[in-house]
């Protein structure tokens, strides 16, 4: 798989567009937001799914305008990535202010909390 995460454009957050773009049933991460006048994707919120990214992202239709997504190889890697977002983003500008929850039955913790 090619890793060009930073280059990936954002998509309109609708049922149709989610089905068109997210074709794999997979764990993964997503970012929600809008596009600025200069065409930059502005992140307002982010999250993950441990099982089905497509289904999860549809919960946010109507609340946010656009999304980006990234498949994860496992629930653990999706969790770790979400934790990294949590510890990296400026919490003041992000709607999601609580620490990500572990996947069910996980025997690991956030590697960034110390
Ligand atoms: Zn943490």
């Amino acid at each position: 798989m090619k890793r060009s995460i930073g280059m990936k454009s954002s998509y309109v957050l609708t049922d149709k567009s989610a089905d068109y773009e997210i074709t794999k049933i997979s764990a993964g991460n997503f970012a929600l937001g809008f596009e600025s006048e200069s065409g930059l994707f502005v992140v307002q919120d982010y999250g993950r799914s441990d099982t089905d990214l497509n289904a999860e992202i549809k919960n946010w239709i109507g609340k946010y305008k656009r999304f980006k997504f990234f498949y994860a190889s496992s629930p653990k890697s999706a969790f770790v990535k979400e934790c990294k977002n949590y510890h990296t983003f400026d919490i003041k500008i992000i709607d999601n202010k609580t620490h990500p929850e572990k996947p069910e039955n996980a025997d690991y913790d956030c590697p960034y909390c110390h």
Side-chain angles (χ1 to χ4, degrees):
M1 195 171 80
K2 248 177 141 182
R3 291 188 151 256
S4 55
I5 280 167
M7 306 296 288
K8 207 164 174 181
S9 55
S10 66
Y11 307 104
V12 184
L13 184 52
T14 61
D15 256 319
K16 205 176 158 186
S17 152
D19 285 340
Y20 186 78
E21 301 297 342
I22 310 173
T23 51
K24 273 206 301 190
I25 296 175
S26 168
N29 299 82
F30 57 86
L32 303 160
F34 62 92
E35 207 167 70
S36 72
E37 276 172 40
S38 55
L40 280 174
F41 180 64
V42 180
V43 177
Q44 293 171 290
D45 206 347
Y46 58 86
R48 78 170 200 279
S49 171
D50 297 333
T51 51
D52 187 349
L53 189 56
N54 178 306
E56 175 64 30
I57 210 161
K58 286 176 179 168
N59 294 326
W60 300 95
I61 291 171
K63 293 175 187 147
Y64 296 103
K65 288 199 165 70
R66 300 185 72 84
F67 71 98
K68 285 189 180 195
F69 74 98
F70 318 97
Y71 294 123
S73 52
S74 67
K76 183 177 181 180
S77 87
F79 171 66
V80 169
K81 183 164 178 178
E82 193 188 17
C83 290
K84 193 174 180 192
N85 287 342
Y86 176 78
H87 287 281
T88 304
F89 279 124
D90 183 345
I91 281 178
K92 289 190 289 297
I93 62 158
I94 298 287
D95 293 342
N96 186 347
K97 292 183 175 63
T98 55
H99 194 283
E101 279 180 39
K102 288 197 282 188
E104 260 183 87
N105 307 319
D107 58 355
Y108 44 82
D109 289 300
C110 170
Y112 307 101
C113 276
H114 286 297

